[in-house]
Amino acid sequence: MPFSSLVDSLMQDTLGVSLPLFATELAICATIVLLLLFRLLNLDQRIPGAVLALAGSIAGLGLAVMQHLQYSQEADLVGQSVEIFTGLLIYDQFTIYLRIFLMLFLVLVVYLTMLGGIPDREDAPDFYVLLLGSTLGMLLMASANHLLIVFLAIEMTSVPSYAMVGFLKGRRQSSEAALKYVVYGAGAAGVMLYGISLLSGLLGTANLPELAQALTALGGADSALDQPSLWTLSLAILMVLVGVAFKLSIVPFHFWCPDAFEGASAEVAGYLSVASKGAAFALLVRFCLAMTGSAVPAGDLQTVFVHLGFGIGIIAAISATFGNLAAYTQTNIKRMLAYSTIAHAGYMLMAVAALLVILGSPDAPDGGAQRTEHAIRAVSGLLYYLVVYLFMNLGAFAIVAIIRNQTFSEQIEDYSGLVRQSPALAVCMLACMFSLIGMPPLGGFVSKVMVFASVFKSTEYYWPMWFILSAGVLNTVFSLIYYVNVLNYMFFKPPREHLEPVNVPLASAYGRYALLVTLPVFLLGVMVNRIDDVAYSASASLKSFSVPVVANHDNADPPRQSVRSTPAIPAPVEAATPVSGG
Amino acid sequence: MDPQTYQSTGEMLRNLLTLAWLLPLAGFVLEVFAGYWSHRLSRAAAYSAVFCIAAGFVCSFAALMYWGHQTHWSALESHASPADHHDVLKYFSGTYYTLAEFGKLRIAIDYHIDSLTLVMFTMVTLIATMIHIFAIGYMSDELTEHYEDHQVHTAHGHFHRPGRFYMFFAYLSLFSFSMLGLVLAGNVFQVFVFWELVGVCSYFLIGFYFERKSASTAANKAFIMNRVGDFGFLIGLMILWTWFGTFQFNERVESDANGRDVVMPGLFDMLRDDHGNVTVLPANDHDSYARVFLADPGHSGALKHEGHKEGKTMPYFLLVVAGLGIFAGCVGKSAQFPLQTWLPDAMEGPTPVSALVHSATMVAAGVYLAGRFYPMFLPEVLLTIAYVGCITLFMAATIAVVATDIKRVLAYSTISQLGYMMLGIGVGGWTAGLFHLITHAFFKSLMFLCSGSVIHGCHHEQEMPKMGGLIRKMPITAYTMLVGVIAICGLAIPGISIFGIKIAFSGYHSKDAIIATAMTFSQLNGSHFLLFVVPLLGAGITAFYMFRLWFYTFIGQPRDHHVYDHAHESPVVMWAPLIVLSFFAAFVAFKGEAGSLFKLLLDTEPASVAHGLHDVGLAGDLNFPSHVGIEENHKAAGLYALLVAVMGTTLAYLFYGARVLNPAEVKRQFAGVHNFLVEKWQFDILYDAAFVRPVHVIAKWFVAFDRNVLDGFLHATARTAVSIATLDRRFDETVVDGLVNLVGNVTYDAGRSLRYVQTGRLRQYVMFIVLGVVGIWIVMRLFAA
């Protein structure tokens, strides 16, 4: 092939295909450039950076929603995925779902920072450049199709977050938290990079779909993989997972989390707790599916995946337990919410564990006919959880920020008697807390049920998953205590006298914001199907599900179509998907 | 009309009427809070009420015009006979909202629009607008912080309270909404809902001066008497629901599970075929009941074209009971015999209320429903209706002769006229009855407003023996009243006509129509001759007592100089509505049965009426007159009625105008009869003895039973429950709480100890990364091995 035609095809790929599908990210990039330019030309005195950032993020959200609408309007697009930028990124409904999730969250956070006055006008462009840059990294995480992008995206997410944690420059605590976060992040990144190099070295490629192929080739029935390299492989996978686990603040890679959250402002903490979680879970799901590939080979490799899944499950259970128990004695609400974040990451990780077990296990009920359906359910449960988590956690952090702006306190005991001063805020907080616990009829209940249902399904594939399930259920009970403790202060204790009373009526900007964020928590608990259908089709669009997942000794039954009105999973085409570039 | 035009017309009409219907509700919401939102002395509430109902009138009138335009006024063409064009649906119906569905059974908020609906809407909104405006003047003494009620005596003199001007208009608006909803309703259940709503509005309005014992008693009486009628209504509804499974008047198209259109017939479609006939299966050896055939839902086609002989049936007598039950509701609402006693007492309410609720609209709702529900009435039921109307009209007319309170005379007159309407419907004069409803609404509301004007002018003096000669003080009131009086008496100038049009006011035409129908009916059914004689006699009595009222009030020398000297004409806001209404009272029935109002109503007439019915009923001996038959008797009937009315008028003039005869003389002569009439035929005494006292006695027994037996049992149960609860609590506190606390303490301690892991030392943290990776890996190895 002559070089010119190579360049032509590259141009065609980039300009004709990739860039239009990359519109959301481009909008963010453009906003960042504008922010910096305005700063340079002193235009930010006239147009505040916050407004610009809000406009940019709304534009990004609009573009993402348009992409979603395109999918929902054209039936033959459903389930299609496109590899863009010569296979570095992948564009499918899963990507779009996460894009909408992240952009919606970004809009809400930017609006919250506008209301709350962090950052001040002088620093605003810097702050929003960091915020948008970090979100850009997350968007890349959600659509990564290559180990290089995986690493780049995680770094791109992390580096601005370090700065954002330390953004309250005057506060010693803030700087300390930022430093801890940086060093810890660097350590985690190092480990991850090492894992990536091991993995691509072993398998000879860094492209995720190709990883699966290479694994299938290596670990076929005649197992070309000897024991030591098998263990090296598992170590490599583990190391890559560490990078993700750091972003997810999973035990034992969570140490940065309480310190960073306590040091950062509530807005930043809320941002870190939700957005990075969403992106990291998307990445984790993609990575895990790439590892298991379209067909899990029998033998040692298969047990590796089941064990990996179960191992992740155990870590998830430990995370949830640790997070919940450690939250008991916290007196600072942000620290408490940090531990709560760890616990929720644990719950969500259980869905990933269930996914791996379902895909990997040799003993499937019904001869594995429902395997794909169950796997899709596990992912869609996770996606639904993320949306609910967005609102309930952002709601909690937003209320913390609002109260901080009034009382300058973040101590739980200073929330005493809130219901008498600002009943609207107290009720919103009540809804968020109950949703975090998982009380019906709020969104937290539904999402937890979905995740636990997946874990329950996975027990049919691999019985030790019962332990994970019982740990999850038990943890729900544990978590009750510390959430209710906050409510106890807010509703039953008299207000503390030395503090400014919190005066936030529902009709104020703060009150409306709290309501805006809390209302979906109700709606997601009552009207499940709308979002769940979207989450389901997003999950079903993942490439690995487009081809039937068959363990080699199972009968190759095509996956049974689900009863619900979800897009049909395309019939099996070829065993391997075409590879473009890499 | 092609289906598309039909649909768009229906939607337009629905939108207009819905707006007219809901505006007063919006007004009510606004006004009921007006006391808080604005100053108590502000007239804003009144203006909002007037605006809402006036806008409603505009919408209703526009709807009527639009309907006429779309149908090319086919209803008004003289050759149009209702049977001629049944290929075109003459009504528009549909569903606003489905309340509940139980399998095939379904309760919904429907609408049903035909010419009757449109005429009623226009009439109700027009009269209500006039009365609202009148009330601004009449109720203006409520615009104060310290309203002194002269009729309520407390230990410290008269009773004082803040004025309730805005509340009055809020109630009026709520009433207007309810009344319009009743007319718009597309199923009988919805009718019942609004039936109760107008009932409760009437209760509020009668009891507007609820501090007066007489007013609150009257309100209770009205409410309770209506409950008696509604009890029958409910029984009727239950029977219909059980046998028909629908409340809908007319058919409705619905998609079934396969997406095909299925026609779900309404009550009328199920019972009657296209010609309005009912198929009756007489009692035979197998079945001791006569039965009526009903069309099945989804298979109405069979019944549509010719009566069918197979399928679902229901006992004939149950349908009679259902009809009587529904009619019982009408009896209560329209104050017919034997539930008529509440209406005279309802005059305790302010006069605009009497004009709107208790003469023009709500009490006419009973007649309206009897008309609307006409297809469901079997001949026996119709005969009952006719006799009830007949008794009522005579009884009320006789009482009106001796009543001296100006409003009570009008109240008895209302009852009597409602009796005429019922009689008209009962003898098969469907259009005649409803025709009289509309004309009566105009002239009776006019007369009530005039009486209100008199009462207002005479400083709340209502006794006619204290009035007299008021025509000199309040000429406008007197002359507009005279228009109403002539209209109700049915006076006309016989033989002379200008351009072929009779010189007569509206009442002449409508009463004429009823009497002609009654006359034809009694010719066809000789044994029921009373149904003609009594209304004819009644027409004379009507003329007598109405002119008695007018002469008493306006003519001759004043009887009480104190009242006379202070009397004055009412302000323009009160007399302007009188002028408007008197115009309509005179000319609404312009050209009589050739006129547009009659033709409009005729358009909705049920199919079975026009050609009459022969040898119907279970005994097969009832005949109902056809249009042609009535037409033959029309001239004679008109002449008789006019003759009688002129006689009544003359008599009244001799007694009260010229004062040639002395009424006191007559009173002495017939003291027994007089007393009987003054005591309202002894009904109140009878009801007290027959119902109120026995209820008191039984209630006492129940109280005793309750105290001694039921309470004792309840107390014992409660004591047992308390002792069990005490035991349970002990168990709870020691065992359950102990366990829970144990678990709680353990987890809490665990949580506390976890705190020490988070040391805050950075070096340790980074160490943990490495330790974590290696540790997990080793554990995995061990586990896998």
Side-chain angles (χ1 to χ4, degrees):
Chain A
M1 193 187 291
F3 184 69
S4 63
S5 67
L6 200 66
V7 169
D8 279 349
S9 71
L10 193 65
M11 289 289 283
Q12 170 62 23
D13 176 55
T14 309
L15 296 179
V17 181
S18 306
L19 281 182
L21 301 180
F22 202 55
T24 310
E25 284 85 346
L26 289 180
I28 299 293
C29 291
T31 316
I32 292 174
V33 172
L34 275 182
L35 275 168
L36 292 173
L37 267 181
F38 275 42
R39 170 74 150 180
L40 210 62
L41 304 174
N42 266 342
L43 279 173
D44 61 322
Q45 299 302 321
R46 237 172 270 158
I47 302 171
V51 174
L52 207 57
L54 189 64
S57 46
I58 287 175
L61 176 63
L63 288 167
V65 169
M66 272 163 59
Q67 285 169 339
H68 168 69
L69 289 180
Q70 193 190 4
Y71 260 101
S72 62
Q73 275 160 12
E74 293 174 40
D76 53 334
L77 274 182
V78 168
Q80 297 279 329
S81 57
V82 186
E83 289 190 340
I84 56 176
F85 293 117
T86 64
L88 286 178
L89 298 180
I90 190 158
Y91 173 84
D92 53 15
Q93 278 164 287
F94 190 78
T95 309
I96 299 172
Y97 185 93
L98 264 300
R99 265 185 200 168
I100 295 177
F101 169 81
L102 288 169
M103 295 317 295
L104 176 68
F105 184 64
L106 183 63
V107 170
L108 289 173
V109 167
V110 171
Y111 188 52
L112 177 64
T113 54
M114 277 172 79
L115 289 181
I118 285 193
D120 58 23
R121 189 136 187 181
E122 192 58 34
D123 290 333
D126 299 340
F127 181 81
Y128 290 116
V129 165
L130 291 172
L131 186 65
L132 265 60
S134 166
T135 312
L136 189 59
M138 292 175 187
L139 289 168
L140 289 178
M141 276 165 86
S143 52
N145 199 35
H146 197 281
L147 283 175
L148 194 62
I149 291 291
V150 170
F151 180 71
L152 273 178
I154 288 189
E155 283 308 288
M156 192 159 176
T157 310
S158 304
V159 174
S161 354
Y162 304 149
M164 278 196 289
V165 167
F167 205 79
L168 302 171
K169 284 167 292 197
R171 281 180 67 197
R172 190 176 161 275
Q173 231 183 350
S174 185
S175 312
E176 186 189 324
L179 183 66
K180 279 182 186 166
Y181 194 16
V182 171
V183 174
Y184 199 89
V191 172
M192 185 183 184
L193 201 53
Y194 188 29
I196 288 176
S197 63
L198 274 180
L199 199 58
S200 43
L202 267 173
L203 299 178
T205 177
N207 185 301
L208 288 184
E210 286 178 33
L211 281 184
Q213 276 178 290
L215 263 180
T216 318
L218 274 180
D222 50 340
S223 194
L225 223 56
D226 52 348
Q227 275 291 324
S229 46
L230 195 66
W231 285 111
T232 319
L233 184 69
S234 64
L235 184 62
I237 294 176
L238 188 64
M239 282 172 145
V240 175
L241 290 183
V242 165
V244 183
F246 154 69
K247 289 267 82 173
L248 291 176
S249 63
I250 294 288
V251 175
F253 308 103
H254 68 282
F255 290 100
W256 62 276
C257 180
D259 292 343
F261 277 26
E262 194 182 0
S265 64
E267 291 91 336
V268 172
Y271 172 76
L272 290 181
S273 74
V274 177
S276 59
K277 203 146 285 159
F281 269 115
L283 184 59
L284 185 60
V285 168
R286 279 199 196 281
F287 182 72
C288 289
L289 286 177
M291 289 292 112
T292 51
S294 52
V296 177
D300 290 341
L301 206 54
Q302 196 171 32
T303 50
V304 167
F305 284 119
V306 175
H307 288 157
L308 188 68
F310 186 61
I312 288 182
I314 288 177
I315 289 178
I318 292 174
S319 266
T321 315
F322 178 88
N324 281 330
L325 293 184
Y328 275 18
T329 48
Q330 303 305 327
T331 54
N332 180 299
I333 187 136
K334 277 193 308 193
R335 229 176 144 78
M336 187 213 92
L337 285 173
Y339 282 108
S340 141
T341 299
I342 296 172
H344 278 277
Y347 295 133
M348 287 187 248
L349 197 60
M350 286 178 191
V352 180
L355 172 73
L356 278 174
V357 168
I358 288 172
L359 287 178
S361 165
D363 335 299
D366 306 339
Q370 296 264 45
R371 198 192 285 269
T372 312
E373 167 72 13
H374 291 162
I376 294 175
R377 278 262 153 254
V379 180
S380 80
L382 174 63
L383 289 185
Y384 195 85
Y385 203 123
L386 280 175
V387 175
V388 175
Y389 189 67
L390 186 164
F391 287 107
M392 62 189 182
N393 216 34
L394 178 63
F397 273 109
I399 291 167
V400 169
I402 291 167
I403 292 173
R404 174 209 62 207
N405 281 359
Q406 304 261 324
T407 63
F408 306 102
S409 167
E410 286 168 348
Q411 295 302 310
I412 294 176
E413 55 185 11
D414 290 342
Y415 283 44
S416 299
L418 185 69
V419 69
R420 277 172 237 178
Q421 299 160 349
S422 299
L425 273 193
V427 170
C428 287
M429 191 65 152
L430 174 96
C432 290
M433 289 287 167
F434 273 160
S435 183
L436 284 165
I437 295 168
M439 291 267 186
L442 300 166
F445 170 73
V446 179
S447 52
K448 230 172 218 174
V449 164
M450 286 181 181
V451 167
F452 288 165
S454 292
V455 179
F456 175 72
K457 276 286 167 224
S458 73
T459 59
E460 294 175 12
Y461 292 84
Y462 186 62
W463 67 266
M465 290 301 279
W466 277 112
F467 292 118
I468 313 298
L469 182 61
S470 47
V473 173
L474 209 59
N475 262 295
T476 305
V477 182
F478 290 164
S479 69
L480 194 77
I481 295 164
Y482 62 93
Y483 290 126
V484 170
N485 185 35
V486 179
L487 301 180
N488 177 27
Y489 275 106
M490 288 195 318
F491 284 87
F492 298 118
K493 298 272 166 81
R496 292 165 77 89
E497 276 154 18
H498 65 277
L499 282 173
E500 286 277 307
V502 184
N503 184 19
V504 180
L506 191 60
S508 62
Y510 279 148
R512 275 195 294 271
Y513 185 84
L515 188 69
L516 171 78
V517 180
T518 321
L519 214 54
V521 175
F522 279 99
L523 297 182
L524 286 166
V526 187
M527 302 191 299
V528 180
N529 281 0
R530 301 273 314 243
I531 304 293
D532 186 41
D533 285 347
V534 179
Y536 185 88
S537 49
S539 318
S541 80
L542 282 166
K543 217 168 189 177
S544 309
F545 296 136
S546 313
V547 232
V549 180
V550 186
N552 60 347
H553 57 81
D554 286 331
N555 292 330
D557 285 335
R560 206 177 290 164
Q561 297 218 338
S562 59
V563 192
R564 298 156 33 104
S565 61
T566 43
I569 299 155
V573 241
E574 294 137 45
T577 44
V579 181
S580 65
Chain B
M1 205 189 296
D2 58 289
Q4 209 153 15
T5 330
Y6 174 78
Q7 186 160 5
S8 67
T9 311
E11 275 169 16
M12 185 70 186
L13 290 178
R14 181 198 65 197
N15 293 346
L16 281 170
L17 293 193
T18 307
L19 189 63
W21 169 43
L22 294 182
L23 265 174
L25 180 65
F28 164 70
V29 173
L30 200 68
E31 290 141 22
V32 79
F33 293 111
Y36 307 101
W37 290 345
S38 75
H39 199 249
R40 197 178 277 279
L41 305 185
S42 138
R43 287 174 201 265
Y47 296 144
S48 114
V50 169
F51 168 77
C52 288
I53 194 72
F57 167 66
V58 172
C59 291
S60 313
F61 190 66
L64 180 63
M65 287 297 129
Y66 182 76
W67 175 82
H69 174 74
Q70 291 297 96
T71 57
H72 309 293
W73 293 109
S74 61
L76 297 188
E77 288 162 23
S78 52
H79 57 79
S81 123
D84 282 351
H85 42 242
H86 48 73
D87 53 324
V88 180
L89 277 180
K90 281 187 295 183
Y91 60 87
F92 305 88
S93 63
T95 302
Y96 287 112
Y97 182 73
T98 304
L99 290 171
E101 276 187 283
F102 316 95
K104 279 184 180 172
L105 308 176
R106 171 173 168 282
I107 297 180
I109 301 178
D110 301 313
Y111 59 89
H112 176 98
I113 300 169
D114 53 21
S115 63
L116 176 63
T117 317
L118 289 163
V119 169
M120 285 291 288
F121 251 76
T122 315
M123 181 276 279
V124 169
T125 47
L126 174 60
I127 291 182
T129 309
M130 291 306 132
I131 291 171
H132 275 66
I133 295 172
F134 180 88
I136 298 178
Y138 189 85
M139 299 305 288
S140 58
D141 56 355
E142 288 278 348
L143 281 170
T144 168
E145 290 292 348
H146 298 283
Y147 180 86
E148 186 178 1
D149 198 328
H150 296 281
Q151 302 189 23
V152 181
H153 304 279
T154 64
H156 316 288
H158 290 313
F159 176 76
H160 287 257
R161 62 171 168 82
R164 287 196 286 256
F165 189 74
Y166 69 97
M167 273 320 282
F168 182 76
F169 282 94
Y171 289 151
L172 278 193
S173 288
L174 182 62
F175 170 76
S176 306
F177 157 74
S178 319
M179 185 66 208
L180 294 176
L182 198 161
V183 177
L184 191 59
N187 63 58
V188 66
F189 180 75
Q190 196 182 345
V191 168
F192 185 72
V193 171
F194 285 101
W195 194 260
E196 296 303 305
L197 259 176
V198 290
V200 82
C201 292
S202 154
Y203 172 80
F204 289 147
L205 286 166
I206 296 171
F208 185 73
Y209 302 114
F210 56 80
E211 291 88 355
R212 301 180 188 164
K213 184 146 187 356
S214 57
S216 64
T217 317
N220 282 332
K221 187 170 179 180
F223 205 69
I224 292 165
M225 289 302 244
N226 269 299
R227 284 290 75 62
V228 177
D230 292 343
F231 185 61
F233 200 145
L234 272 177
I235 291 175
L237 287 187
M238 287 178 207
I239 294 175
L240 294 178
W241 185 242
T242 311
W243 289 93
F244 288 79
T246 181
F247 283 138
Q248 201 117 8
F249 292 139
N250 286 100
E251 68 187 20
R252 135 185 91 84
V253 178
E254 182 177 87
S255 304
D256 67 357
N258 303 327
R260 281 174 307 179
D261 283 351
V262 175
V263 177
M264 304 295 283
L267 292 172
F268 304 161
D269 311 308
M270 284 173 82
L271 184 63
R272 291 184 185 261
D273 61 19
D274 257 3
H275 306 291
N277 294 327
V278 181
T279 314
V280 181
L281 179 72
N284 52 30
D285 298 343
H286 309 293
D287 198 347
S288 51
Y289 302 128
R291 286 180 173 272
V292 186
F293 280 102
L294 305 180
D296 281 334
H299 303 93
S300 63
L303 192 58
K304 276 251 103 149
H305 301 297
E306 46 211 274
H308 66 164
K309 299 279 179 211
E310 290 169 2
K312 210 163 127 186
T313 60
M314 78 175 278
Y316 190 91
F317 81 93
L318 268 181
L319 195 55
V320 171
V321 172
L324 288 178
I326 302 288
F327 178 62
C330 303
V331 166
K333 194 106 304 185
S334 290
Q336 298 294 294
F337 168 82
L339 300 178
Q340 80 285 17
T341 60
W342 67 270
L343 187 57
D345 288 11
M347 297 301 125
E348 287 293 337
T351 309
V353 173
S354 312
L356 179 63
V357 181
H358 301 122
S359 75
T361 55
M362 186 192 83
V363 290
V367 180
Y368 166 79
L369 182 63
R372 178 60 87 201
F373 226 56
Y374 189 87
M376 297 304 286
F377 292 145
L378 293 173
E380 285 79 3
V381 181
L382 289 176
L383 194 65
T384 315
I385 294 177
Y387 270 107
V388 166
C390 183
I391 297 170
T392 311
L393 82 89
F394 182 71
M395 188 174 64
T398 53
I399 300 174
V401 169
V402 299
T404 53
D405 182 316
I406 185 167
K407 279 179 75 180
R408 286 193 181 242
V409 175
L410 289 174
Y412 282 110
S413 156
T414 304
I415 298 176
S416 173
Q417 298 303 313
L418 291 169
Y420 269 107
M421 299 172 207
M422 286 294 187
L423 172 79
I425 288 179
V427 295
W430 189 90
T431 318
L434 290 167
F435 191 37
H436 197 53
L437 191 165
I438 306 286
T439 58
H440 169 259
F442 281 107
F443 58 67
K444 189 51 68 66
S445 58
L446 166 67
M447 286 194 284
F448 260 114
L449 290 192
C450 288
S451 79
S453 176
V454 169
I455 293 166
H456 188 77
C458 296
H459 303 279
H460 294 277
E461 184 53 64
Q462 303 194 1
E463 283 296 317
M464 290 193 296
K466 294 192 178 171
M467 299 170 184
L470 287 174
I471 194 166
R472 292 187 287 280
K473 289 279 186 155
M474 33 179 69
I476 299 173
T477 308
Y479 287 117
T480 48
M481 182 79 154
L482 184 60
V483 171
V485 169
I486 294 174
I488 192 175
C489 296
L491 291 184
I493 303 174
I496 304 172
S497 56
I498 301 172
F499 306 123
I501 299 163
K502 260 195 200 132
I503 304 174
F505 285 175
S506 59
Y508 170 79
H509 298 297
S510 53
K511 194 171 283 183
D512 204 26
I514 291 177
I515 288 182
T517 315
M519 183 171 166
T520 320
F521 184 83
S522 66
Q523 279 174 2
L524 291 173
N525 310 282
S527 56
H528 301 297
F529 69 95
L530 275 178
L531 292 182
F532 169 58
V533 176
V534 172
L536 193 61
L537 193 60
I541 306 177
T542 306
F544 177 77
Y545 69 72
M546 283 320 302
F547 271 101
R548 166 178 178 264
L549 181 146
W550 195 75
F551 288 136
Y552 231 137
T553 313
F554 293 107
I555 297 296
Q557 292 308 310
R559 296 183 182 78
D560 185 327
H561 282 279
H562 176 73
V563 169
Y564 181 79
D565 292 343
H566 290 87
H568 57 82
E569 182 60 285
S570 301
V572 61
V573 69
M574 288 170 68
W575 62 253
L578 298 185
I579 305 272
V580 176
L581 282 178
S582 63
F583 173 78
F584 282 101
F587 301 117
V588 71
F590 186 64
K591 280 163 86 175
E593 294 186 17
S596 47
L597 178 63
F598 190 84
K599 285 280 173 59
L600 276 179
L601 292 171
L602 192 64
D603 190 54
T604 301
E605 188 175 71
S608 59
V609 180
H611 301 294
L613 295 168
H614 304 288
D615 301 331
V616 290
L618 215 46
D621 57 353
L622 279 174
N623 299 290
F624 284 87
S626 66
H627 282 180
V628 184
I630 296 169
E631 196 52 46
E632 286 168 2
N633 283 324
H634 213 287
K635 227 168 195 157
L639 214 59
Y640 291 150
L642 189 58
L643 205 64
V644 176
V646 169
M647 276 163 58
T649 311
T650 318
L651 210 57
Y653 178 73
L654 293 179
F655 270 112
Y656 301 98
R659 303 195 186 180
V660 180
L661 300 176
N662 188 359
E665 200 73 22
V666 182
K667 199 193 283 182
R668 224 181 1 262
Q669 209 89 40
F670 299 99
V673 177
H674 183 262
N675 204 37
F676 179 68
L677 293 179
V678 168
E679 285 298 329
K680 308 159 209 165
W681 289 40
Q682 313 283 8
F683 266 101
D684 281 343
I685 298 164
L686 176 73
Y687 286 165
D688 190 54
F691 300 112
V692 180
R693 287 206 199 131
V695 166
H696 275 291
V697 171
I698 295 170
K700 262 181 206 148
W701 295 345
F702 278 121
V703 167
F705 178 77
D706 219 31
R707 286 250 170 79
N708 300 328
V709 183
L710 286 184
D711 281 5
F713 174 72
L714 274 182
H715 288 158
T717 321
R719 272 195 293 275
T720 321
V722 166
S723 49
I724 290 174
T726 318
L727 277 178
D728 191 44
R729 179 181 163 184
R730 238 170 251 156
F731 176 80
D732 219 36
E733 279 174 350
T734 48
V735 182
V736 179
D737 284 7
L739 269 176
V740 170
N741 284 340
L742 189 68
V743 173
N745 287 338
V746 168
T747 48
Y748 191 80
D749 289 344
R752 240 163 56 155
S753 56
L754 282 180
R755 214 178 162 174
Y756 299 114
V757 183
Q758 193 82 15
T759 52
R761 297 217 178 92
L762 189 53
R763 227 171 277 150
Q764 235 173 37
Y765 288 2
V766 180
M767 271 291 290
F768 268 117
I769 300 180
V770 182
L771 283 182
V773 176
V774 177
I776 292 174
W777 188 65
I778 289 172
V779 168
M780 238 167 89
R781 274 207 76 156
L782 290 177
F783 192 71

